[in-house]
Amino acid sequence: MNDMRLATTPLAPTRRRLLAGLGAALLTGPAALAGPAALAGSALLAGPAAAAGGSFRAIRVDTGPLAALGVSRYAAVVRTVMEPIAARVFAGRIQPGDRRLPTLVLVVQEIQMASYGGGSGFGRDGMDRPLDWITGAGLVVDVAGRTVERVPITAQRDATDGGPWYLTEQSERRRLENLCEALASWVARAV
């Protein structure tokens, strides 16, 4: 009798269990990939902002490093896209009346967008798909103006997430929104 149920025990590693575990680890964020010791000491991983309850007096968006690359008009567009996304991602964590709280600065350093959202282009990760990238950081700045925490972030999104490539203006806007959402969301998880 060739019955697979006899060959595996309830706790035997199967492809499905391994993929489910990896997926769960990715969904819970970078700290879960560091192992149980890091999760047990997650208060140590969290920076000063988390120790203060994770609230901020204000959120600012800095696209100066992007403008310094010679794309100042595009940097202004990125800032106008990022500001409402950051307000939504950090909703409930902004307390403008409390002057003791730090300010969060979302810095956008670089954006790389694939030339188009179709297939058969090699992305930065070597896969056969076009990828969009954003590099930046979350800076926690205390009331004296000192940076007390810096969280560098590099995030990628599939270029096809922007919708049909032939709707160029709408597609590129959605791709930029997706990148800004990724940066803000990863910073929110870290601070």
Side-chain angles (χ1 to χ4, degrees):
M1 181 169 145
N2 189 6
D3 189 0
M4 288 301 292
R5 288 178 292 178
L6 296 176
T8 61
T9 65
L11 297 177
T14 64
R15 187 176 347 169
R16 180 176 289 162
R17 284 191 186 102
L18 291 174
L19 290 175
L22 177 61
L26 290 174
L27 288 175
T28 57
L33 296 176
L39 288 175
S42 61
L44 297 175
L45 290 176
S55 295
F56 302 97
R57 180 179 51 184
I59 295 181
R60 290 190 1 244
V61 176
D62 178 10
T63 57
L66 190 61
L69 296 174
V71 289
S72 57
R73 287 177 38 193
Y74 187 66
V77 170
V78 171
R79 186 175 49 255
T80 61
V81 169
M82 177 68 92
E83 286 172 343
I85 289 173
R88 181 174 38 80
V89 168
F90 287 92
R93 294 177 66 181
I94 304 301
Q95 298 176 8
D98 193 347
R99 296 195 177 275
R100 296 171 297 153
L101 292 175
T103 298
L104 177 66
V105 181
L106 295 175
V107 181
V108 180
Q109 296 167 316
E110 183 180 8
I111 292 179
Q112 296 179 13
M113 295 178 88
S115 60
Y116 68 101
S120 73
F122 282 98
R124 191 165 157 181
D125 66 352
M127 302 300 288
D128 186 19
R129 61 183 175 170
L131 297 174
D132 296 334
W133 289 81
I134 188 167
T135 302
L139 305 178
V140 178
V141 180
D142 68 8
V143 293
R146 293 182 306 254
T147 300
V148 295
E149 183 177 5
R150 183 178 191 282
V151 180
I153 301 288
T154 297
Q156 72 178 22
R157 292 292 305 257
D158 196 319
T160 60
D161 288 350
W165 62 268
Y166 51 85
L167 299 175
T168 306
E169 189 174 321
Q170 296 93 337
S171 174
E172 288 190 10
R173 176 70 178 218
R174 281 191 298 271
R175 289 167 64 188
L176 178 58
E177 290 169 352
N178 290 340
L179 288 173
C180 290
E181 176 92 31
L183 179 67
S185 296
W186 278 108
V187 169
R189 288 181 184 109
V191 297

